[in-house]
Amino acid sequence: MNINVALVGNPNSGKTTLFNQLTGSSQKVGNLPGVTIESKEGCVKGHKGVKVIDLPGIYSLAPYSTEEIVSRDYIIDQKPDVIINIVDATNIERNLYLTLQLLELETPLVIALNMMDEVRNNGVFIDIPRLSQALGVPVVPISASKNEGIHDLIHSAIETAGKRTVRQKIDFCTGPVHNAIHSVSHLIEEQAMEAKLPLRYAATKTVEGDDLILDRLNLHEPDIDIIQHIVDDMEFHLGTDREAAMADMRYCFIEDVCGRIITKTGESKEHLRSVKIDEILTHKYLALPIFLGIMLFIFWLTFGALGTSLSDLLGAGIDRLSDITDEALSNTNISPVLHSLIIDGVFVGVGSVMSFLPIITILFFLLSIMEDSGYIPRVAFFMDRLLRRLGLSGRSIVPLLLGFGCSVPAIMATRTLPSKRDRYMTILLVPFMSCSAKLPIYAMFTAAFFEGHKALVMFSLYITGVIVAIICALLLKSTIFSGKPVPFIMVLPNYRMPVMKSVWLRMWENIAGFIRRAFTIIFFATIVIWLLQSFDTGFNMVESSDRSMLASIGTLAVPVFAPLGFGDWRAATALITGLSAKEAVVSTFAILLNAPDSASLPLLMAEVFTPLSAFAFLIFSLLYMPCVAAMAAARREMGSILGALATVSFQTVVAWVAAFLVYNIGELIL
Amino acid sequence: MFFSRRHNKCYQSAEGKNHRGTCRRHRGQDSCDGMSLDLLKPGEKARILAVRGEGALRRHLLDMGLTPNTVVMVRKTAPLGDPIELYLRNFELTLRKEDARHIIIEAVAE
């Protein structure tokens, strides 16, 4: 039997952890039907045919964020067999607010009451049978991070889906709201059926004044008048308006239920601990220095001590492998063309990129820990004021920080931003945060030209990216992105120990992407470059690559880069191939300069650059348009090709101007 | 749009009684003499009387549990002076002072 399960819950309720426990590694990323919002899907371990879809984390089913609309449309239109509503037991009131709205959707539902280990630890007792009775749906206590109760949850969900039991009619509304919802129910019965909307949900949303549902219902003129009258009447009796009335009614019901089923002994240990940690981490004077310290520590660990030595080790290993293969190939009677392709093309190209794997692994590991511990919302909290000056909100800090890892997930993270203006602006600025794929370029150039000042040059590049982003933000804020700042309402979740399984899964996703790129796009690009540089336009193998096809193509772009100090066809070619993936800049130089192994590549770079033009080249690489994967992500999130094209053109112009200034001012000074 | 949102209608506070004598609450208008949440100092507690404003912002404030009669405490002000951190219903919520202005409160004793 095939069962489709939809996983719904508040952000930070442990939804992703539960999803990982349910599905293990059988996850697949896809888009929700009809929209560009990505969701994960997977099969439940040990239950073939039971599919889980992880819907976005939401607080309500109001139509004010894309995530909320997508989630409710998914449930109504795709009709999953059962909803697993994950509820954080340590924050039960706010979590049940969503539950009450989900109950109206007439889909079988099971509540997974998460974080029960914390609840027990704190000596709090929750009467689960009575909670289940009060809501009319099964409630299964679980602890997603400790993998407790998952088995019972799956069974309860399968059973509920099998019985197709929708909760018995239990009203959680009282007085005037009750009357209004029921009167409206009778009026709109037919229209709700025609619009394929659950009746109770349609009635509640009509009373609430939800424009999207009202449009979909397509009510008749006389009915609209009657409904208006019913709502007016309700508002008059309650002395408040329709929206406040509904929210108030739900919270009143929840407070009543919670009062009866929970015996509480004050704030939880975890919460008190969180407050204590925040006394330091969001302290008036310490917050910003600590944040800077953490960022410096992350960069030091990634690019300094640990990452570089591991990278060198892996690089040496790859060179060994290349030598062994070279020897083996020489002993066979393989054609010299194929030999050259494997050694000079594939090994040099893919190998030079693969050696950066340790650096990228460490960076993503640390960023994942920062994300899962709950620190990032705090950063958003104390950075909001600064970011607002730039026309953004504190929330933009999440995508911007992720941008140091990879622009693709960072651009996808912008969909959590509540306004289109903030989203567009953040998408535009994210690529200025130097992504980890650009690291190989910096590492190779600093080894070649700035051996004594490695750290300084690296640091100055990262800072330049941030400063350029700030200048652009200020420029855009006062021109095309002028407008009101959006509200900033954000929950600060308790700090938690990151669940290693989730950190590992997320890290693996990113590393796997990097390896996949190395063996697909970069492998392919490497072969193409090798072909283009080994043959001339008449398809004869050339002695030296400056007479090759590649040289002819690169030469066309030379005039554009000449004012920046690197009017060399090899530099131009490297920048063009860098569009497939930034690491390809390095592999392109490796091939074009005939580097025998990755260690000797920096020595050959002096053929193309002076230290000053090398620095201008680095600035250009830092800022110019992102790789195709990031461009595709930007197009998806902006929903417009033109927007994405305008964005990348803007970035490239900025890069040109910045590199031009660096080179020409440098010329004057030096 | 089917229903016009009527911004000019007056509402009393949720309890149905009229606080502060002559004050009638106008949504979206600052004509009330009630104290607003942005004026509360860290460590102080208050009870919410009404949530003003309109549209998505107001709806979101209500959804997050800032409903009339809820008791909130201001936990702290961000290092740069804005936003503020609130404690309510057993969790922490941050919002900017300019949005907190829409929330009308009365102080409660410790």
Side-chain angles (χ1 to χ4, degrees):
Chain A
M1 184 172 60
N2 281 327
I3 296 177
N4 288 317
V5 184
L7 192 57
V8 190
N10 279 193
N12 295 308
S13 57
K15 205 162 60 67
T16 308
T17 315
L18 175 61
F19 181 73
N20 290 338
Q21 299 286 21
L22 286 171
T23 60
S25 49
S26 77
Q27 305 178 358
K28 162 170 126 236
V29 180
N31 278 344
L32 285 171
V35 285
T36 53
I37 287 199
E38 211 165 62
S39 69
K40 281 188 186 152
E41 220 179 88
C43 285
V44 175
K45 273 188 291 190
H47 295 266
K48 254 198 166 170
V50 182
K51 264 205 309 203
V52 194
I53 183 154
D54 188 20
L55 292 178
I58 49 174
Y59 294 109
S60 167
L61 291 182
Y64 290 112
S65 83
T66 338
E67 272 111 341
E68 288 171 349
I69 297 174
V70 165
S71 298
R72 67 188 208 181
D73 285 354
Y74 181 85
I75 296 166
I76 292 171
D77 298 333
Q78 307 296 317
K79 297 194 174 51
D81 298 298
V82 60
I83 299 172
I84 292 180
N85 173 212
I86 183 163
V87 166
D88 176 356
T90 63
N91 241 321
I92 198 158
E93 283 188 19
R94 197 194 65 222
N95 278 255
L96 285 180
Y97 186 80
L98 175 66
T99 309
L100 289 191
Q101 299 181 60
L102 290 171
L103 286 175
E104 294 181 332
L105 293 172
E106 289 173 15
T107 303
L109 182 142
V110 175
I111 291 178
L113 198 58
N114 193 21
M115 319 248 180
M116 284 306 283
D117 52 324
E118 280 186 24
V119 169
R120 273 195 303 273
N121 270 339
N122 285 295
V124 176
F125 176 75
I126 299 179
D127 190 340
I128 289 166
R130 279 178 76 185
L131 177 62
S132 164
Q133 202 188 7
L135 298 172
V137 291
V139 178
V140 185
I142 66 162
S143 165
S145 60
K146 302 237 155 74
N147 208 3
E148 287 169 17
I150 308 295
H151 198 67
D152 294 342
L153 176 66
I154 296 170
H155 279 276
S156 179
I158 293 175
E159 198 190 317
T160 311
K163 280 195 289 191
R164 311 213 137 267
T165 39
V166 179
R167 68 187 249 288
Q168 308 100 288
K169 274 225 158 73
I170 292 174
D171 263 321
F172 45 79
C173 52
T174 47
V177 179
H178 175 95
N179 296 340
I181 291 178
H182 284 259
S183 317
V184 169
S185 277
H186 291 304
L187 266 177
I188 63 168
E189 215 165 337
E190 241 169 71
Q191 282 90 344
M193 191 114 79
E194 264 168 42
K196 296 200 173 73
L197 287 169
L199 178 59
R200 166 70 196 220
Y201 173 73
T204 310
K205 290 289 155 188
T206 305
V207 174
E208 208 164 14
D210 184 323
D211 293 329
L212 289 180
I213 296 296
L214 288 169
D215 281 346
R216 194 161 154 175
L217 276 172
N218 202 9
L219 296 168
H220 306 305
E221 200 59 52
D223 289 347
I224 295 174
D225 287 344
I226 300 171
I227 290 167
Q228 187 65 66
H229 186 76
I230 293 171
V231 172
D232 281 347
D233 203 45
M234 177 190 80
E235 289 182 335
F236 176 77
H237 280 287
L238 288 171
T240 183
D241 66 300
R242 60 214 289 185
E243 286 175 335
M246 300 300 287
D248 194 40
M249 168 200 85
R250 291 192 190 110
Y251 272 112
C252 282
F253 177 82
I254 293 167
E255 279 167 29
D256 178 53
V257 171
C258 289
R260 281 187 284 127
I261 60 155
I262 303 176
T263 56
K264 242 190 205 159
T265 50
E267 290 176 44
S268 72
K269 284 181 225 160
E270 287 76 10
H271 186 241
L272 290 173
R273 184 183 64 191
S274 253
V275 172
K276 279 243 168 65
I277 297 176
D278 264 345
E279 273 169 21
I280 302 165
L281 292 187
T282 61
H283 182 272
K284 198 168 178 185
Y285 302 112
L286 296 177
L288 288 169
I290 289 177
F291 171 62
L292 277 180
I294 290 174
M295 291 314 287
L296 282 177
F297 178 72
I298 288 177
F299 287 133
W300 174 74
L301 217 55
T302 314
F303 312 132
L306 197 56
T308 315
S309 46
L310 284 175
S311 267
D312 290 348
L313 217 64
L314 187 65
I318 292 170
D319 289 345
R320 265 311 293 269
L321 193 66
S322 168
D323 290 345
I324 294 169
T325 318
D326 195 4
E327 215 169 297
L329 287 176
S330 306
N331 292 338
T332 59
N333 271 332
I334 198 162
S335 89
V337 176
L338 196 60
H339 187 154
S340 161
L341 170 67
I342 293 170
I343 299 301
D344 305 330
V346 177
F347 262 99
V348 172
V350 177
S352 56
V353 170
M354 281 303 286
S355 61
F356 294 96
L357 192 60
I359 292 188
I360 281 146
T361 310
I362 295 169
L363 186 65
F364 273 112
F365 176 73
L366 296 172
L367 285 177
S368 288
I369 286 189
M370 210 155 95
E371 224 182 322
D372 285 7
S373 64
Y375 183 55
I376 288 193
R378 269 76 185 182
V379 179
F381 169 62
F382 59 70
M383 295 291 278
D384 179 60
R385 184 140 203 195
L386 280 181
L387 285 163
R388 198 159 18 137
R389 289 223 178 111
L390 306 179
L392 294 167
S393 88
R395 257 177 236 259
S396 294
I397 198 77
V398 183
L400 291 175
L401 282 182
L402 286 177
F404 288 115
C406 173
S407 297
V408 177
I411 288 172
M412 290 188 320
T414 57
R415 72 172 66 120
T416 56
L417 304 174
S419 91
K420 205 172 175 179
R421 169 177 164 276
D422 281 30
R423 260 198 313 276
Y424 279 20
M425 214 160 141
T426 312
I427 289 173
L428 203 143
L429 299 180
V430 157
F432 292 147
M433 307 296 121
S434 180
C435 80
S436 60
K438 290 175 193 163
L439 260 179
I441 311 177
Y442 307 158
M444 197 257 289
F445 271 81
T446 47
F449 298 101
F450 313 104
E451 190 51 67
H453 310 278
K454 256 186 178 168
L456 181 74
V457 171
M458 285 274 190
F459 190 70
S460 69
L461 284 168
Y462 278 88
I463 292 293
T464 306
V466 174
I467 292 172
V468 168
I470 291 173
I471 296 171
C472 290
L474 290 173
L475 202 76
L476 293 168
K477 185 187 117 185
S478 50
T479 53
I480 45 175
F481 285 115
S482 59
K484 269 188 165 177
V486 290
F488 174 72
I489 302 165
M490 190 186 63
V491 171
L492 294 180
N494 284 352
Y495 286 102
R496 289 188 199 285
M497 270 311 275
V499 180
M500 276 308 143
K501 193 172 177 178
S502 296
V503 172
W504 168 248
L505 274 174
R506 185 168 343 174
M507 204 171 86
W508 175 241
E509 237 170 69
N510 286 308
I511 297 169
F514 180 81
I515 297 175
R516 210 181 310 121
R517 277 207 310 278
F519 282 99
T520 52
I521 295 181
I522 294 180
F523 180 80
F524 184 72
T526 308
I527 292 177
V528 171
I529 295 160
W530 176 84
L531 278 173
L532 290 174
Q533 63 112 25
S534 301
F535 296 91
D536 62 18
T537 39
F539 287 101
N540 307 304
M541 204 158 177
V542 289
E543 285 288 305
S544 90
S545 45
D546 51 356
R547 251 169 301 177
S548 66
M549 273 188 272
L550 196 55
S552 335
I553 298 168
T555 312
L556 289 178
V558 163
V560 180
F561 298 116
L564 313 183
F566 43 94
D568 184 287
W569 68 274
R570 286 165 293 200
T573 312
L575 287 170
I576 295 167
T577 56
L579 293 179
S580 63
K582 295 293 157 128
E583 306 93 316
V585 170
V586 177
S587 53
T588 306
F589 276 122
I591 297 168
L592 294 184
L593 294 170
N594 280 322
D597 54 54
S598 53
S600 52
L601 175 58
L603 304 175
L604 298 166
M605 291 298 289
E607 273 182 42
V608 184
F609 295 99
T610 63
L612 180 61
S613 71
F615 193 69
F617 182 86
L618 285 177
I619 295 287
F620 190 85
S621 312
L622 163 74
L623 302 170
Y624 85 121
M625 65 169 84
C627 66
V628 272
M631 282 192 253
R635 196 204 70 79
R636 264 205 320 269
E637 297 304 326
M638 298 176 96
S640 111
I641 297 176
L642 273 180
L645 282 178
T647 306
V648 297
S649 316
F650 176 80
Q651 284 152 351
T652 309
V653 169
V654 167
W656 195 92
V657 171
F660 180 83
L661 290 176
V662 164
Y663 183 72
N664 288 286
I665 294 173
E667 282 268 80
L668 291 178
I669 298 169
L670 298 179
Chain B
M1 198 184 282
F2 283 92
F3 299 100
S4 60
R5 291 178 188 276
R6 293 143 306 144
H7 304 307
N8 295 322
K9 193 169 175 177
C10 294
Y11 299 101
Q12 293 174 349
S13 69
E15 298 100 298
K17 36 179 210 266
N18 212 339
H19 285 268
R20 288 171 213 283
T22 56
C23 169
R24 308 235 297 158
R25 297 183 197 290
H26 297 250
R27 279 172 64 191
Q29 275 173 250
D30 285 321
S31 59
C32 276
D33 58 349
M35 182 175 168
S36 59
L37 186 60
D38 58 311
L39 301 173
L40 219 57
K41 293 195 174 57
E44 288 181 346
K45 279 187 185 169
R47 184 194 314 279
I48 296 174
L49 295 178
V51 179
R52 290 215 218 111
E54 60 194 57
L57 167 68
R58 175 164 191 269
R59 184 57 220 260
H60 196 46
L61 291 173
L62 292 166
D63 280 348
M64 295 314 286
L66 291 161
T67 51
N69 270 328
T70 309
V71 174
V72 297
M73 185 185 99
V74 173
R75 176 83 74 191
K76 66 171 63 164
T77 306
L80 300 167
D82 196 27
I84 53 173
E85 180 182 335
L86 302 178
Y87 175 63
L88 74 151
R89 297 184 190 273
N90 211 12
F91 71 96
E92 269 79 23
L93 188 72
T94 65
L95 70 164
R96 288 178 184 154
K97 282 183 172 167
E98 66 175 276
D99 298 327
R101 266 209 353 252
H102 294 293
I103 300 170
I104 309 302
I105 51 163
E106 65 177 4
V108 289
E110 279 295 303

